[in-house]
mmCIF file with all atom_site columns, all heavy atoms in Angstrom:
data_model
loop_
_atom_site.group_PDB
_atom_site.id
_atom_site.type_symbol
_atom_site.label_atom_id
_atom_site.label_alt_id
_atom_site.label_comp_id
_atom_site.label_asym_id
_atom_site.label_entity_id
_atom_site.label_seq_id
_atom_site.pdbx_PDB_ins_code
_atom_site.Cartn_x
_atom_site.Cartn_y
_atom_site.Cartn_z
_atom_site.occupancy
_atom_site.B_iso_or_equiv
_atom_site.pdbx_formal_charge
_atom_site.auth_seq_id
_atom_site.auth_comp_id
_atom_site.auth_asym_id
_atom_site.auth_atom_id
_atom_site.pdbx_PDB_model_num
ATOM 1  N N   . ALA O 1 157 ? 10.610 6.239  10.521 1.00 96.00 ? 157 ALA O N   1
ATOM 2  C CA  . ALA O 1 157 ? 10.749 7.254  11.558 1.00 96.00 ? 157 ALA O CA  1
ATOM 3  C C   . ALA O 1 157 ? 9.498  7.230  12.434 1.00 96.00 ? 157 ALA O C   1
ATOM 4  O O   . ALA O 1 157 ? 9.390  8.079  13.391 1.00 96.00 ? 157 ALA O O   1
ATOM 5  C CB  . ALA O 1 157 ? 11.009 8.551  11.002 1.00 96.00 ? 157 ALA O CB  1
ATOM 6  N N   . ALA O 1 158 ? 8.675  6.280  12.250 1.00 96.00 ? 158 ALA O N   1
ATOM 7  C CA  . ALA O 1 158 ? 7.337  6.329  12.851 1.00 96.00 ? 158 ALA O CA  1
ATOM 8  C C   . ALA O 1 158 ? 7.497  6.280  14.470 1.00 96.00 ? 158 ALA O C   1
ATOM 9  O O   . ALA O 1 158 ? 6.690  7.060  15.131 1.00 96.00 ? 158 ALA O O   1
ATOM 10 C CB  . ALA O 1 158 ? 6.389  5.158  12.530 1.00 96.00 ? 158 ALA O CB  1
ATOM 11 N N   . SER O 1 159 ? 8.540  5.607  14.973 1.00 95.00 ? 159 SER O N   1
ATOM 12 C CA  . SER O 1 159 ? 8.652  5.554  16.415 1.00 95.00 ? 159 SER O CA  1
ATOM 13 C C   . SER O 1 159 ? 9.147  6.785  17.055 1.00 95.00 ? 159 SER O C   1
ATOM 14 O O   . SER O 1 159 ? 9.093  6.960  18.266 1.00 95.00 ? 159 SER O O   1
ATOM 15 C CB  . SER O 1 159 ? 9.561  4.363  16.700 1.00 95.00 ? 159 SER O CB  1
ATOM 16 O OG  . SER O 1 159 ? 10.884 4.651  16.131 1.00 95.00 ? 159 SER O OG  1
ATOM 17 N N   . GLU O 1 160 ? 9.546  7.829  16.274 1.00 95.00 ? 160 GLU O N   1
ATOM 18 C CA  . GLU O 1 160 ? 9.906  9.082  16.805 1.00 95.00 ? 160 GLU O CA  1
ATOM 19 C C   . GLU O 1 160 ? 8.685  9.909  17.311 1.00 95.00 ? 160 GLU O C   1
ATOM 20 O O   . GLU O 1 160 ? 8.755  10.763 18.094 1.00 95.00 ? 160 GLU O O   1
ATOM 21 C CB  . GLU O 1 160 ? 10.489 9.965  15.704 1.00 95.00 ? 160 GLU O CB  1
ATOM 22 C CG  . GLU O 1 160 ? 11.903 9.590  15.291 1.00 95.00 ? 160 GLU O CG  1
ATOM 23 C CD  . GLU O 1 160 ? 12.385 10.546 14.171 1.00 95.00 ? 160 GLU O CD  1
ATOM 24 O OE1 . GLU O 1 160 ? 11.903 11.679 13.990 1.00 95.00 ? 160 GLU O OE1 1
ATOM 25 O OE2 . GLU O 1 160 ? 13.188 9.951  13.454 1.00 95.00 ? 160 GLU O OE2 1
ATOM 26 N N   . PHE O 1 161 ? 7.460  9.441  16.879 1.00 96.00 ? 161 PHE O N   1
ATOM 27 C CA  . PHE O 1 161 ? 6.311  10.207 17.228 1.00 96.00 ? 161 PHE O CA  1
ATOM 28 C C   . PHE O 1 161 ? 5.653  9.785  18.524 1.00 96.00 ? 161 PHE O C   1
ATOM 29 O O   . PHE O 1 161 ? 5.881  8.734  18.989 1.00 96.00 ? 161 PHE O O   1
ATOM 30 C CB  . PHE O 1 161 ? 5.273  10.051 16.061 1.00 96.00 ? 161 PHE O CB  1
ATOM 31 C CG  . PHE O 1 161 ? 5.648  10.790 14.820 1.00 96.00 ? 161 PHE O CG  1
ATOM 32 C CD1 . PHE O 1 161 ? 6.836  10.466 14.114 1.00 96.00 ? 161 PHE O CD1 1
ATOM 33 C CD2 . PHE O 1 161 ? 4.924  11.964 14.549 1.00 96.00 ? 161 PHE O CD2 1
ATOM 34 C CE1 . PHE O 1 161 ? 7.235  11.179 13.063 1.00 96.00 ? 161 PHE O CE1 1
ATOM 35 C CE2 . PHE O 1 161 ? 5.387  12.678 13.348 1.00 96.00 ? 161 PHE O CE2 1
ATOM 36 C CZ  . PHE O 1 161 ? 6.543  12.277 12.661 1.00 96.00 ? 161 PHE O CZ  1
ATOM 37 N N   . ASP O 1 162 ? 4.799  10.611 19.073 1.00 93.00 ? 162 ASP O N   1
ATOM 38 C CA  . ASP O 1 162 ? 4.196  10.273 20.317 1.00 93.00 ? 162 ASP O CA  1
ATOM 39 C C   . ASP O 1 162 ? 3.293  9.195  20.249 1.00 93.00 ? 162 ASP O C   1
ATOM 40 O O   . ASP O 1 162 ? 3.133  8.354  21.234 1.00 93.00 ? 162 ASP O O   1
ATOM 41 C CB  . ASP O 1 162 ? 3.396  11.463 20.939 1.00 93.00 ? 162 ASP O CB  1
ATOM 42 C CG  . ASP O 1 162 ? 4.246  12.724 21.166 1.00 93.00 ? 162 ASP O CG  1
ATOM 43 O OD1 . ASP O 1 162 ? 5.235  12.526 22.024 1.00 93.00 ? 162 ASP O OD1 1
ATOM 44 O OD2 . ASP O 1 162 ? 3.974  13.762 20.523 1.00 93.00 ? 162 ASP O OD2 1
ATOM 45 N N   . VAL O 1 163 ? 2.589  9.004  19.184 1.00 93.00 ? 163 VAL O N   1
ATOM 46 C CA  . VAL O 1 163 ? 1.651  7.820  18.969 1.00 93.00 ? 163 VAL O CA  1
ATOM 47 C C   . VAL O 1 163 ? 1.492  7.520  17.524 1.00 93.00 ? 163 VAL O C   1
ATOM 48 O O   . VAL O 1 163 ? 1.719  8.288  16.681 1.00 93.00 ? 163 VAL O O   1
ATOM 49 C CB  . VAL O 1 163 ? 0.239  8.366  19.688 1.00 93.00 ? 163 VAL O CB  1
ATOM 50 C CG1 . VAL O 1 163 ? -0.244 9.584  19.036 1.00 93.00 ? 163 VAL O CG1 1
ATOM 51 C CG2 . VAL O 1 163 ? -0.673 7.211  19.544 1.00 93.00 ? 163 VAL O CG2 1
ATOM 52 N N   . GLN O 1 164 ? 1.204  6.201  17.321 1.00 94.00 ? 164 GLN O N   1
ATOM 53 C CA  . GLN O 1 164 ? 1.170  5.707  15.922 1.00 94.00 ? 164 GLN O CA  1
ATOM 54 C C   . GLN O 1 164 ? -0.239 5.062  15.759 1.00 94.00 ? 164 GLN O C   1
ATOM 55 O O   . GLN O 1 164 ? -0.765 4.443  16.593 1.00 94.00 ? 164 GLN O O   1
ATOM 56 C CB  . GLN O 1 164 ? 2.115  4.556  15.604 1.00 94.00 ? 164 GLN O CB  1
ATOM 57 C CG  . GLN O 1 164 ? 3.638  5.095  15.608 1.00 94.00 ? 164 GLN O CG  1
ATOM 58 C CD  . GLN O 1 164 ? 4.112  5.159  17.153 1.00 94.00 ? 164 GLN O CD  1
ATOM 59 O OE1 . GLN O 1 164 ? 3.572  4.590  18.062 1.00 94.00 ? 164 GLN O OE1 1
ATOM 60 N NE2 . GLN O 1 164 ? 5.093  6.066  17.304 1.00 94.00 ? 164 GLN O NE2 1
#
Side-chain angles (χ1 to χ4, degrees):
S159 60
E160 291 175 23
F161 286 69
D162 295 304
V163 57
Q164 295 78 25

